[in-house]
Amino acid sequence: MTRGDRLREFYERSIYEPAVVAWADLRTRMGLLLLSVYLAITAVSVLGLWREPSSSQAPRLLGMFENWSYPLGTTYSGVDLTAELVHATPDIMLMVLAGGVWATGLAVLVGTLAGYKGGRVDRVLMSISDFFMAIPGLPLVIILAITFSPENPVFVGVILTINYWAGLGRSLRSQVLTIREDSYVEASRTMGTGTFRILRKDVIPNLMPYVTVNFVFAARYTIFASVGLFFLGVLPYSEPTWGVTLARAQENGALFVPEAAHWLIAPMIFIVGLALALILMGQGLDRVFNPRVRTRMAGESESTVEDEETTTKGMI
């Protein structure tokens, strides 16, 4: 094969086919649209295209869409809720990414190594996993938050999922125990292929649907955990976050004052919207990484081409 042929094959298998499979699912398109909205909001905040939140910057307690200069309304102190939520979004996105990558990445490393290598490696890694599974997650996170007082969103995301990886790692290990006995893995091992190459080429691709779903679960958990701990005041903050916005609304009685209901509704929309975007994207990526779906889609494409060729020959 020429270099152009290899590049063409890589494009078809790694970019074109996954894109076709993903775009064929309405849930993927909806999830991508929602996620794009949050990425756009992040860009607006990072580029400084919206005003910074501050007290007395607007009329007090405006409702949602009463004034299009402040579309989500304002608080009792005249803070623009749109500005507060927009400028909190980049930190939340970093927390979600850090928490999801930490939890799933460590779980994949531990689970695949333990399941494939077996023996002493398996016993040591699973003992570590069991130890972290035995520690109650919420008390551990609270202790770490009080001890380190993290303000870096990446560090916060890692702390929130500090032991989330353990259960996923054990589940992956049980699946690898089955995969490592398959003929293609045995063939790679017989040819002297290295362990990490076998894991990267033969084992992990078959785990990707499961890994993708659990990445979404870990990311969603990070959203809810961060909002809850900021709401309770456990995590320190120097800038407003969605949880802090909810806490301030609750402290000012927004739960019982209809005129201030938007103070609670606006951050809740942001929270639910991001969680929904991740769930929909996870379902779409599950189809992308599922070899049965990819094979079926490829088969349908080939049959379509054959039908078109047959029709063309018949017309000639």
Side-chain angles (χ1 to χ4, degrees), residues 91-100 102 140-142 144-146 148-163 218 221-230 234-238 241:
D91 284 352
I92 290 291
M93 298 294 281
L94 283 174
M95 288 179 205
V96 168
L97 181 62
W102 163 262
L140 176 61
V141 170
I142 291 175
L144 292 175
I146 293 173
F148 295 104
S149 297
E151 293 188 8
N152 185 297
V154 174
F155 191 25
V156 172
V158 171
I159 285 180
L160 291 175
T161 55
I162 190 68
N163 66 338
Y221 171 82
T222 304
I223 298 170
F224 296 148
S226 65
V227 169
L229 293 179
F230 277 121
V234 174
L235 289 171
Y237 63 92
S238 56
T241 70

Short mmCIF file of all heavy atoms in Angstrom, two decimals, residues 91-100 102 140-142 144-146 148-163 218 221-230 234-238 241:
data_model
loop_
_atom_site.label_atom_id
_atom_site.label_comp_id
_atom_site.label_asym_id
_atom_site.label_seq_id
_atom_site.Cartn_x
_atom_site.Cartn_y
_atom_site.Cartn_z
N ASP A 91 -14.79 26.61 34.64
CA ASP A 91 -14.29 25.80 35.75
C ASP A 91 -15.05 24.49 35.86
O ASP A 91 -14.45 23.43 36.12
CB ASP A 91 -14.41 26.57 37.06
CG ASP A 91 -13.33 27.65 37.20
OD1 ASP A 91 -12.43 27.68 36.35
OD2 ASP A 91 -13.41 28.45 38.14
N ILE A 92 -16.36 24.53 35.65
CA ILE A 92 -17.15 23.30 35.70
C ILE A 92 -16.72 22.35 34.59
O ILE A 92 -16.58 21.13 34.81
CB ILE A 92 -18.66 23.62 35.57
CG1 ILE A 92 -19.16 24.32 36.83
CG2 ILE A 92 -19.46 22.35 35.32
CD1 ILE A 92 -19.20 23.44 38.06
N MET A 93 -16.50 22.86 33.40
CA MET A 93 -16.08 22.01 32.28
C MET A 93 -14.72 21.36 32.57
O MET A 93 -14.50 20.18 32.26
CB MET A 93 -16.01 22.83 31.00
CG MET A 93 -17.35 23.43 30.56
SD MET A 93 -18.56 22.19 30.07
CE MET A 93 -17.99 21.80 28.42
N LEU A 94 -13.80 22.12 33.17
CA LEU A 94 -12.50 21.55 33.53
C LEU A 94 -12.65 20.47 34.60
O LEU A 94 -11.99 19.43 34.55
CB LEU A 94 -11.56 22.66 34.02
CG LEU A 94 -10.94 23.55 32.95
CD1 LEU A 94 -10.14 24.68 33.59
CD2 LEU A 94 -10.04 22.74 32.01
N MET A 95 -13.51 20.71 35.58
CA MET A 95 -13.75 19.71 36.63
C MET A 95 -14.31 18.43 36.03
O MET A 95 -13.87 17.32 36.37
CB MET A 95 -14.75 20.25 37.66
CG MET A 95 -14.22 21.32 38.58
SD MET A 95 -15.53 21.84 39.71
CE MET A 95 -14.98 23.49 40.11
N VAL A 96 -15.27 18.58 35.14
CA VAL A 96 -15.91 17.42 34.53
C VAL A 96 -14.89 16.62 33.72
O VAL A 96 -14.82 15.38 33.81
CB VAL A 96 -17.08 17.87 33.63
CG1 VAL A 96 -17.57 16.73 32.75
CG2 VAL A 96 -18.23 18.40 34.49
N LEU A 97 -14.09 17.31 32.92
CA LEU A 97 -13.09 16.63 32.11
C LEU A 97 -12.04 15.94 32.99
O LEU A 97 -11.69 14.77 32.76
CB LEU A 97 -12.41 17.63 31.17
CG LEU A 97 -11.35 17.06 30.23
CD1 LEU A 97 -11.96 16.04 29.29
CD2 LEU A 97 -10.67 18.18 29.44
N ALA A 98 -11.57 16.64 34.00
CA ALA A 98 -10.54 16.06 34.88
C ALA A 98 -11.08 14.87 35.64
O ALA A 98 -10.42 13.82 35.74
CB ALA A 98 -10.03 17.13 35.86
N GLY A 99 -12.30 14.99 36.18
CA GLY A 99 -12.88 13.88 36.92
C GLY A 99 -13.13 12.66 36.05
O GLY A 99 -12.83 11.53 36.44
N GLY A 100 -13.68 12.88 34.86
CA GLY A 100 -13.94 11.76 33.96
C GLY A 100 -12.67 11.08 33.49
O GLY A 100 -12.58 9.84 33.47
N TRP A 102 -9.65 11.13 34.92
CA TRP A 102 -8.97 10.47 36.05
C TRP A 102 -9.63 9.13 36.38
O TRP A 102 -8.96 8.11 36.48
CB TRP A 102 -8.99 11.38 37.28
CG TRP A 102 -8.70 10.67 38.57
CD1 TRP A 102 -9.61 10.22 39.47
CD2 TRP A 102 -7.41 10.30 39.08
NE1 TRP A 102 -8.98 9.61 40.53
CE2 TRP A 102 -7.62 9.64 40.32
CE3 TRP A 102 -6.10 10.47 38.63
CZ2 TRP A 102 -6.57 9.15 41.10
CZ3 TRP A 102 -5.06 9.98 39.40
CH2 TRP A 102 -5.29 9.34 40.61
N LEU A 140 -14.41 10.83 52.47
CA LEU A 140 -13.04 10.98 51.99
C LEU A 140 -12.89 12.29 51.22
O LEU A 140 -11.90 13.03 51.41
CB LEU A 140 -12.67 9.80 51.09
CG LEU A 140 -11.30 9.86 50.41
CD1 LEU A 140 -10.19 9.90 51.46
CD2 LEU A 140 -11.11 8.69 49.46
N VAL A 141 -13.85 12.61 50.36
CA VAL A 141 -13.78 13.85 49.59
C VAL A 141 -13.84 15.07 50.51
O VAL A 141 -13.09 16.04 50.33
CB VAL A 141 -14.94 13.90 48.56
CG1 VAL A 141 -15.02 15.28 47.91
CG2 VAL A 141 -14.74 12.84 47.49
N ILE A 142 -14.70 15.01 51.52
CA ILE A 142 -14.81 16.13 52.46
C ILE A 142 -13.50 16.34 53.22
O ILE A 142 -13.02 17.48 53.38
CB ILE A 142 -15.98 15.89 53.43
CG1 ILE A 142 -17.31 15.98 52.68
CG2 ILE A 142 -15.95 16.92 54.57
CD1 ILE A 142 -18.52 15.64 53.54
N LEU A 144 -10.44 15.46 52.24
CA LEU A 144 -9.44 15.97 51.32
C LEU A 144 -9.69 17.44 50.98
O LEU A 144 -8.74 18.23 50.86
CB LEU A 144 -9.43 15.13 50.04
CG LEU A 144 -8.93 13.69 50.17
CD1 LEU A 144 -9.10 12.95 48.86
CD2 LEU A 144 -7.47 13.67 50.60
N ALA A 145 -10.97 17.81 50.83
CA ALA A 145 -11.29 19.20 50.51
C ALA A 145 -10.91 20.13 51.65
O ALA A 145 -10.37 21.22 51.43
CB ALA A 145 -12.78 19.33 50.20
N ILE A 146 -11.17 19.70 52.90
CA ILE A 146 -10.81 20.53 54.05
C ILE A 146 -9.30 20.59 54.22
O ILE A 146 -8.73 21.63 54.57
CB ILE A 146 -11.48 19.97 55.32
CG1 ILE A 146 -13.01 20.12 55.21
CG2 ILE A 146 -10.96 20.67 56.57
CD1 ILE A 146 -13.77 19.46 56.34
N PHE A 148 -6.79 20.13 51.83
CA PHE A 148 -6.04 20.79 50.76
C PHE A 148 -6.65 22.12 50.32
O PHE A 148 -5.97 22.91 49.64
CB PHE A 148 -5.92 19.86 49.55
CG PHE A 148 -5.11 18.62 49.82
CD1 PHE A 148 -5.72 17.40 50.00
CD2 PHE A 148 -3.73 18.69 49.89
CE1 PHE A 148 -4.98 16.25 50.24
CE2 PHE A 148 -2.97 17.56 50.13
CZ PHE A 148 -3.59 16.34 50.31
N SER A 149 -7.94 22.35 50.64
CA SER A 149 -8.64 23.57 50.19
C SER A 149 -8.39 23.86 48.72
O SER A 149 -7.88 24.92 48.34
CB SER A 149 -8.21 24.78 51.04
OG SER A 149 -8.56 24.59 52.39
N PRO A 150 -8.71 22.92 47.84
CA PRO A 150 -8.37 23.09 46.42
C PRO A 150 -9.24 24.14 45.74
O PRO A 150 -10.44 24.20 45.95
CB PRO A 150 -8.65 21.69 45.83
CG PRO A 150 -9.75 21.16 46.71
CD PRO A 150 -9.48 21.69 48.09
N GLU A 151 -8.61 24.98 44.95
CA GLU A 151 -9.34 25.95 44.14
C GLU A 151 -9.11 25.72 42.65
O GLU A 151 -9.88 26.21 41.83
CB GLU A 151 -8.94 27.37 44.51
CG GLU A 151 -9.36 27.76 45.92
CD GLU A 151 -9.14 29.23 46.22
OE1 GLU A 151 -8.79 29.98 45.27
OE2 GLU A 151 -9.32 29.64 47.38
N ASN A 152 -8.04 24.99 42.30
CA ASN A 152 -7.81 24.63 40.91
C ASN A 152 -8.88 23.64 40.45
O ASN A 152 -9.05 22.59 41.07
CB ASN A 152 -6.42 24.01 40.76
CG ASN A 152 -6.07 23.74 39.32
OD1 ASN A 152 -6.72 22.95 38.65
ND2 ASN A 152 -5.03 24.39 38.83
N PRO A 153 -9.63 23.95 39.39
CA PRO A 153 -10.74 23.06 38.99
C PRO A 153 -10.29 21.66 38.61
O PRO A 153 -11.03 20.70 38.82
CB PRO A 153 -11.37 23.80 37.81
CG PRO A 153 -10.35 24.79 37.35
CD PRO A 153 -9.55 25.15 38.54
N VAL A 154 -9.08 21.53 38.03
CA VAL A 154 -8.59 20.20 37.67
C VAL A 154 -8.35 19.38 38.94
O VAL A 154 -8.74 18.20 39.02
CB VAL A 154 -7.30 20.30 36.84
CG1 VAL A 154 -6.70 18.93 36.59
CG2 VAL A 154 -7.59 21.01 35.52
N PHE A 155 -7.75 19.98 39.94
CA PHE A 155 -7.49 19.31 41.21
C PHE A 155 -8.81 18.94 41.90
O PHE A 155 -8.96 17.86 42.47
CB PHE A 155 -6.64 20.21 42.11
CG PHE A 155 -6.10 19.52 43.33
CD1 PHE A 155 -5.92 18.15 43.37
CD2 PHE A 155 -5.76 20.26 44.45
CE1 PHE A 155 -5.42 17.52 44.49
CE2 PHE A 155 -5.26 19.64 45.58
CZ PHE A 155 -5.09 18.27 45.60
N VAL A 156 -9.77 19.85 41.82
CA VAL A 156 -11.09 19.57 42.41
C VAL A 156 -11.74 18.36 41.73
O VAL A 156 -12.29 17.48 42.40
CB VAL A 156 -12.01 20.80 42.31
CG1 VAL A 156 -13.43 20.45 42.73
CG2 VAL A 156 -11.48 21.94 43.16
N GLY A 157 -11.66 18.30 40.39
CA GLY A 157 -12.24 17.18 39.67
C GLY A 157 -11.61 15.85 40.06
O GLY A 157 -12.31 14.84 40.21
N VAL A 158 -10.28 15.84 40.27
CA VAL A 158 -9.59 14.61 40.68
C VAL A 158 -10.01 14.21 42.09
O VAL A 158 -10.27 13.03 42.36
CB VAL A 158 -8.06 14.80 40.60
CG1 VAL A 158 -7.34 13.61 41.22
CG2 VAL A 158 -7.63 14.98 39.14
N ILE A 159 -10.12 15.18 42.99
CA ILE A 159 -10.50 14.87 44.37
C ILE A 159 -11.92 14.31 44.43
O ILE A 159 -12.20 13.36 45.17
CB ILE A 159 -10.38 16.14 45.25
CG1 ILE A 159 -8.91 16.41 45.55
CG2 ILE A 159 -11.16 15.99 46.55
CD1 ILE A 159 -8.67 17.63 46.41
N LEU A 160 -12.81 14.87 43.62
CA LEU A 160 -14.21 14.41 43.66
C LEU A 160 -14.34 12.96 43.21
O LEU A 160 -15.26 12.26 43.62
CB LEU A 160 -15.07 15.31 42.76
CG LEU A 160 -15.27 16.75 43.25
CD1 LEU A 160 -16.04 17.56 42.21
CD2 LEU A 160 -16.01 16.77 44.58
N THR A 161 -13.44 12.50 42.34
CA THR A 161 -13.51 11.13 41.84
C THR A 161 -12.31 10.31 42.32
O THR A 161 -11.87 9.39 41.63
CB THR A 161 -13.55 11.12 40.30
OG1 THR A 161 -12.43 11.87 39.79
CG2 THR A 161 -14.84 11.75 39.79
N ILE A 162 -11.79 10.65 43.50
CA ILE A 162 -10.55 10.06 43.98
C ILE A 162 -10.63 8.54 44.10
O ILE A 162 -9.66 7.83 43.87
CB ILE A 162 -10.16 10.69 45.34
CG1 ILE A 162 -8.74 10.27 45.76
CG2 ILE A 162 -11.17 10.35 46.42
CD1 ILE A 162 -7.67 10.84 44.88
N ASN A 163 -11.80 8.01 44.46
CA ASN A 163 -11.92 6.54 44.54
C ASN A 163 -13.04 6.01 43.65
O ASN A 163 -13.47 4.86 43.80
CB ASN A 163 -12.15 6.11 45.98
CG ASN A 163 -13.49 6.58 46.54
OD1 ASN A 163 -14.07 7.54 46.03
ND2 ASN A 163 -13.96 5.93 47.58
N ALA A 218 -19.00 9.04 35.28
CA ALA A 218 -18.03 9.73 36.14
C ALA A 218 -18.12 11.24 35.96
O ALA A 218 -18.05 12.00 36.93
CB ALA A 218 -16.62 9.24 35.83
N TYR A 221 -21.30 12.43 37.61
CA TYR A 221 -21.09 12.41 39.06
C TYR A 221 -20.28 13.63 39.51
O TYR A 221 -20.56 14.23 40.55
CB TYR A 221 -20.37 11.13 39.46
CG TYR A 221 -19.89 11.09 40.89
CD1 TYR A 221 -20.77 10.75 41.92
CD2 TYR A 221 -18.57 11.41 41.22
CE1 TYR A 221 -20.33 10.73 43.24
CE2 TYR A 221 -18.14 11.38 42.52
CZ TYR A 221 -19.02 11.04 43.53
OH TYR A 221 -18.58 11.03 44.83
N THR A 222 -19.28 14.00 38.71
CA THR A 222 -18.46 15.17 39.05
C THR A 222 -19.30 16.43 39.07
O THR A 222 -19.12 17.29 39.95
CB THR A 222 -17.31 15.32 38.03
OG1 THR A 222 -16.56 14.10 37.98
CG2 THR A 222 -16.40 16.46 38.41
N ILE A 223 -20.21 16.57 38.11
CA ILE A 223 -21.09 17.75 38.09
C ILE A 223 -21.89 17.84 39.37
O ILE A 223 -21.89 18.85 40.07
CB ILE A 223 -22.03 17.70 36.88
CG1 ILE A 223 -21.26 17.72 35.57
CG2 ILE A 223 -23.01 18.87 36.92
CD1 ILE A 223 -22.13 17.43 34.36
N PHE A 224 -22.61 16.76 39.70
CA PHE A 224 -23.50 16.78 40.86
C PHE A 224 -22.73 16.91 42.16
O PHE A 224 -23.15 17.61 43.09
CB PHE A 224 -24.37 15.53 40.87
CG PHE A 224 -25.30 15.43 39.68
CD1 PHE A 224 -25.66 14.21 39.15
CD2 PHE A 224 -25.82 16.57 39.10
CE1 PHE A 224 -26.51 14.12 38.06
CE2 PHE A 224 -26.67 16.50 38.00
CZ PHE A 224 -27.01 15.27 37.49
N ALA A 225 -21.58 16.21 42.25
CA ALA A 225 -20.78 16.27 43.49
C ALA A 225 -20.23 17.67 43.70
O ALA A 225 -20.24 18.20 44.82
CB ALA A 225 -19.66 15.26 43.43
N SER A 226 -19.72 18.30 42.64
CA SER A 226 -19.16 19.64 42.79
C SER A 226 -20.24 20.65 43.17
O SER A 226 -20.04 21.47 44.07
CB SER A 226 -18.47 20.07 41.49
OG SER A 226 -19.40 20.19 40.43
N VAL A 227 -21.39 20.56 42.52
CA VAL A 227 -22.48 21.49 42.85
C VAL A 227 -22.92 21.28 44.29
O VAL A 227 -23.11 22.25 45.04
CB VAL A 227 -23.66 21.28 41.88
CG1 VAL A 227 -24.89 22.03 42.37
CG2 VAL A 227 -23.29 21.75 40.48
N GLY A 228 -23.05 20.02 44.71
CA GLY A 228 -23.49 19.74 46.07
C GLY A 228 -22.51 20.23 47.12
O GLY A 228 -22.89 20.84 48.13
N LEU A 229 -21.21 20.00 46.90
CA LEU A 229 -20.21 20.40 47.90
C LEU A 229 -19.99 21.91 47.91
O LEU A 229 -19.71 22.49 48.97
CB LEU A 229 -18.90 19.66 47.64
CG LEU A 229 -18.97 18.14 47.87
CD1 LEU A 229 -17.63 17.49 47.57
CD2 LEU A 229 -19.39 17.83 49.30
N PHE A 230 -20.10 22.56 46.75
CA PHE A 230 -20.06 24.02 46.76
C PHE A 230 -21.31 24.59 47.45
O PHE A 230 -21.22 25.59 48.17
CB PHE A 230 -19.97 24.57 45.32
CG PHE A 230 -18.58 24.58 44.76
CD1 PHE A 230 -18.28 23.87 43.60
CD2 PHE A 230 -17.58 25.30 45.37
CE1 PHE A 230 -17.00 23.89 43.07
CE2 PHE A 230 -16.29 25.31 44.85
CZ PHE A 230 -16.00 24.60 43.70
N VAL A 234 -18.40 23.14 51.48
CA VAL A 234 -17.26 22.28 51.78
C VAL A 234 -16.06 22.65 50.92
O VAL A 234 -14.92 22.69 51.40
CB VAL A 234 -17.64 20.79 51.57
CG1 VAL A 234 -16.41 19.90 51.74
CG2 VAL A 234 -18.73 20.38 52.54
N LEU A 235 -16.31 22.91 49.63
CA LEU A 235 -15.22 23.29 48.72
C LEU A 235 -15.03 24.80 48.75
O LEU A 235 -16.01 25.56 48.69
CB LEU A 235 -15.55 22.83 47.29
CG LEU A 235 -15.49 21.33 47.03
CD1 LEU A 235 -16.04 21.02 45.64
CD2 LEU A 235 -14.05 20.81 47.15
N PRO A 236 -13.78 25.26 48.84
CA PRO A 236 -13.53 26.71 48.82
C PRO A 236 -13.70 27.27 47.41
O PRO A 236 -13.60 26.54 46.43
CB PRO A 236 -12.07 26.81 49.28
CG PRO A 236 -11.45 25.53 48.83
CD PRO A 236 -12.54 24.48 48.95
N TYR A 237 -13.93 28.55 47.33
CA TYR A 237 -14.10 29.17 46.01
C TYR A 237 -13.68 30.63 46.09
O TYR A 237 -13.81 31.28 47.12
CB TYR A 237 -15.55 29.06 45.53
CG TYR A 237 -16.53 29.80 46.41
CD1 TYR A 237 -16.88 31.13 46.13
CD2 TYR A 237 -17.11 29.19 47.51
CE1 TYR A 237 -17.78 31.81 46.94
CE2 TYR A 237 -18.01 29.86 48.32
CZ TYR A 237 -18.33 31.17 48.03
OH TYR A 237 -19.21 31.85 48.83
N SER A 238 -13.13 31.11 45.01
CA SER A 238 -12.81 32.54 44.89
C SER A 238 -13.69 33.20 43.84
O SER A 238 -13.81 34.42 43.82
CB SER A 238 -11.33 32.72 44.52
OG SER A 238 -11.03 32.01 43.32
N THR A 241 -19.68 29.78 41.48
CA THR A 241 -19.92 28.53 40.78
C THR A 241 -21.42 28.27 40.78
O THR A 241 -22.18 28.96 41.46
CB THR A 241 -19.19 27.35 41.45
OG1 THR A 241 -19.82 27.08 42.71
CG2 THR A 241 -17.71 27.66 41.68
#
